[in-house]
Amino acid sequence: MWTFLRRRSLTQWIVVAMVVGVALGILFPAFAVSIRPISTVFLRMIKSIIVPLIFGTLVVGIAGHGDDMKRVGRLALKSIIYFEVVTTLALFIGLLAVNVLKPGVGVSLAEPPGAAPVASTPITFGTVLEHVVPQSFFEAAAGNEMLQVVFWSVVFAIGLSQVRGRAKETMLGFCEALAEVMFKFTGVVMKFAPFGVAAALAFTVGQAVVKHGGPAGAWEILRSLGLVVLTLYIALVVFGLVVLLPVARFARVPLGPFIAAVKEPALIAFSTASSEAALPKAMEQMEAIGVPRRIVAFVMPTGYSFNLDGSTLYLSVAALFAAQAGGVSLTLGQQLLMMLTLMLTSKGVAGVPRAALVILTGTLASFHLPVEAAVVLLGVDVLMDMARTTVNLVGNCLATVVMARWEGEYANGRSGLIRGGIASREAV
């Protein structure tokens, strides 16, 4: 029996944990709510990995190439172009889906009694630009501000590339050792993943059951906004089929190894609704299937600020849902202007808690649409968040392979092949 249990893969255990978590939430809601600290501990352990992992891999990936800064700049330019094209397509697919299915027509926007208004934080290009640059690296690290950490690490690596002699060798050795240790650290923490996943889902389901007086009450709430959830899921599936799949085919990405590599991080992202929880495992898996570490280290964390495919698609659905629910008719030009606003304001705020909600309320206020729509959507936000987070993850994993292909450095699934003088490592 013990041997049978030990032979089960992490993916299998996570699937079992998801089923157990949902069952606990329905059958024992009070107990399910009480075990939330288990999921909190898991997420905190994962978040503690992110900053040292990104810092170590980025510095080695950039400074380890000596004076070849053109190579780094070329990768950055290609990545940004790719991110903008793909996220723009995501916005338009969301725009099409919500105009066809019209999930907001007939929805009442009356706020529930005693509901607190959602705070609207105005987001402009200037605030996004300011958010990119940290006042202090340690402040950014403590707040897990991913884009700020990436910016500081890139500048630090460029400075280190201009240093000669022992100082450079010492710092590069330290950063490479740090990255290696954090990958091993990830392997240890992931053994706790099934417990964290089960607790997270149990809390989510149990909280809905307790709040609405039983499974029937929770089901009524979900059914009232089921169409907007269905619209989002359909749009995300269409996005995967008409954008991500053709991109993978065009870039000659081996779909079998790629799907096998992303399934565990995707399950973690879906069950925890946290991109951060899946990031370390996703980075490890992309490197294991042959993407050079320098590309993984740059594209993955940068993509979490600039390539949030699922989140940008959600924003287009949610914004037009608000217009439909408020009875506001928008012309095609107004809709396109709103999409442009969402595309610009959604960049660089991935580290902000409930970033999509902040962006949505700010955009709704700017276009004089009912902000209370954001309150209505909070009732089903957890279901939508799970889906959009998963698509964010898969989109960023695909981006790393595409960039490796574009750079001519994809190792065709050979684990640990890293170019540019960076030491190879076995996949955990």
Side-chain angles (χ1 to χ4, degrees), residues 178-422:
L178 177 64
E180 292 289 339
V181 171
M182 296 317 297
F183 275 118
K184 298 298 183 184
F185 191 114
T186 301
V188 174
V189 172
M190 289 309 300
K191 296 184 183 300
F192 188 70
F195 299 98
V197 166
L201 280 178
F203 170 78
T204 300
V205 176
Q207 187 182 46
V209 171
V210 170
K211 183 177 180 181
H212 302 294
W219 172 247
E220 285 298 320
I221 297 296
L222 294 178
R223 189 173 65 177
S224 68
L225 288 174
L227 185 55
V228 71
V229 176
L230 180 63
T231 300
L232 177 67
Y233 273 71
I234 290 175
L236 290 174
V237 171
V238 171
F239 173 75
L241 294 177
V242 305
V243 177
L244 296 185
L245 183 59
V247 166
R249 290 291 191 185
F250 181 77
R252 293 179 291 114
V253 176
L255 291 180
F258 177 78
I259 293 172
V262 300
K263 63 181 180 181
E264 285 183 12
L267 280 171
I268 294 169
F270 183 82
S271 56
T272 64
S274 170
S275 296
E276 290 181 335
L279 177 60
K281 186 67 177 177
M283 292 178 70
E284 176 188 330
Q285 292 289 78
M286 290 303 98
E287 189 178 340
I289 64 171
V291 181
R293 182 178 296 179
R294 76 173 190 94
I295 293 178
V296 173
F298 182 85
V299 176
M300 286 291 287
T302 306
Y304 274 109
S305 292
F306 291 97
N307 190 41
L308 299 174
D309 303 331
S311 294
T312 51
L313 194 153
Y314 159 78
L315 287 171
S316 64
V317 170
L320 290 184
F321 165 81
Q324 293 172 356
V328 179
S329 179
L330 297 176
T331 65
L332 179 61
Q334 290 173 319
Q335 291 183 26
L336 293 177
L337 180 60
M338 185 185 296
M339 294 307 101
L340 177 62
T341 303
L342 290 171
M343 185 178 69
L344 293 176
T345 57
S346 63
K347 306 303 181 187
V349 290
V352 180
R354 292 285 184 184
L357 178 63
V358 173
I359 296 165
L360 176 61
T361 53
T363 302
L364 293 180
S366 299
F367 284 83
H368 306 290
L369 296 174
V371 178
E372 58 266 25
V375 177
V376 174
L377 289 174
L378 279 177
V380 290
D381 186 67
V382 64
L383 296 175
M384 295 188 288
D385 197 15
M386 295 161 91
R388 65 181 183 246
T389 300
T390 305
V391 173
N392 289 343
L393 173 86
V394 174
N396 280 316
C397 288
L398 179 61
T400 62
V401 183
V402 172
M403 288 302 107
R405 279 290 197 196
W406 201 348
E407 289 282 285
E409 296 189 40
Y410 185 60
N412 293 313
R414 287 172 287 170
S415 174
L417 178 57
I418 308 298
R419 298 190 179 188
I422 305 174

Side-chain angles (χ1 to χ4, degrees), residues 39-178:
S39 66
T40 302
V41 167
F42 172 66
L43 291 176
R44 286 188 175 187
M45 286 194 296
I46 288 290
K47 290 180 179 180
S48 71
I49 299 170
I50 293 171
V51 171
L53 180 62
I54 290 176
F55 174 75
T57 53
L58 263 181
V59 170
V60 175
I62 295 174
H65 288 86
D67 299 321
D68 194 8
M69 287 298 104
K70 289 184 179 179
R71 194 181 191 190
V72 176
R74 185 177 68 239
L75 176 62
L77 178 62
K78 289 178 178 178
S79 298
I80 295 300
I81 292 173
Y82 175 86
F83 294 160
E84 289 305 317
V85 170
V86 174
T87 52
T88 300
L89 291 173
L91 282 171
F92 279 105
I93 288 175
L95 182 71
L96 177 63
V98 78
N99 274 291
V100 171
L101 297 177
K102 301 184 183 303
V105 175
V107 174
S108 172
L109 286 182
E111 290 191 36
V118 179
S120 175
T121 303
I123 300 174
T124 65
F125 178 76
T127 58
V128 171
L129 192 61
E130 290 177 1
H131 182 75
V132 171
V133 184
Q135 298 183 82
S136 163
F137 173 77
F138 299 102
E139 180 182 354
N144 264 337
E145 296 285 358
M146 194 177 304
L147 188 58
Q148 294 184 4
V149 171
V150 168
F151 177 87
W152 198 92
S153 300
V154 169
V155 175
F156 180 88
I158 292 173
L160 181 60
S161 69
Q162 300 174 10
V163 176
R164 297 291 180 271
R166 184 177 177 183
K168 180 177 181 179
E169 294 174 1
T170 301
M171 183 55 69
L172 276 176
F174 167 76
C175 291
E176 186 167 354
L178 177 64

